Amino acid sequence: MATVSGRGEVQPLIDAMGARGMNVSWSFQPADWLALRDAVRRVGVPALVDHAARAWSAAKNTPYSARYFLAGWTGLQTAPQYTGPRSLTAGPPSKTTEYLEDMAAIADELRQMRTGGA
């Protein structure tokens, strides 16, 4: 029975890193390939490459191995999913909301007084 490495799903990351000029060695143990594969699935290749580019720029010496990025990659969390605008009526109105509504009503009354109610 062959050991599953997870490298196949990581190939797009390897290619993207090379395309950005970050050519490094990709020597990992099978467990590390699986952790990296999980990071690719969780956050996607673009986020991993961006993280690597920032780490690459901050490095004192040019990284020579992808292991340099592994801890950061596996620690990245997925970005929160956008669920649309929050409803302003989701709960009881806040004091600020009440104040703004009162001010809007006063502004409407003043406009009507100025224009003669039209």
Side-chain angles (χ1 to χ4, degrees), residues 18-93:
R20 296 269 302 261
M22 294 180 280
N23 297 304
V24 292
S25 166
W26 293 86
S27 300
F28 290 120
Q29 296 296 317
D32 294 331
W33 282 114
L34 293 173
L36 187 50
R37 180 207 59 195
D38 292 345
V40 167
R41 288 178 178 177
R42 188 176 61 257
V43 299
V45 170
L48 296 177
V49 174
D50 288 346
H51 181 272
R54 287 190 303 276
W56 185 280
S57 296
K60 291 181 182 179
N61 298 310
T62 302
Y64 63 89
S65 171
R67 293 187 77 56
Y68 179 83
F69 308 105
L70 187 61
W73 281 337
T74 57
L76 289 175
Q77 299 300 311
T78 57
Q81 295 295 318
Y82 177 70
T83 58
R86 292 188 339 203
S87 171
L88 295 177
T89 60

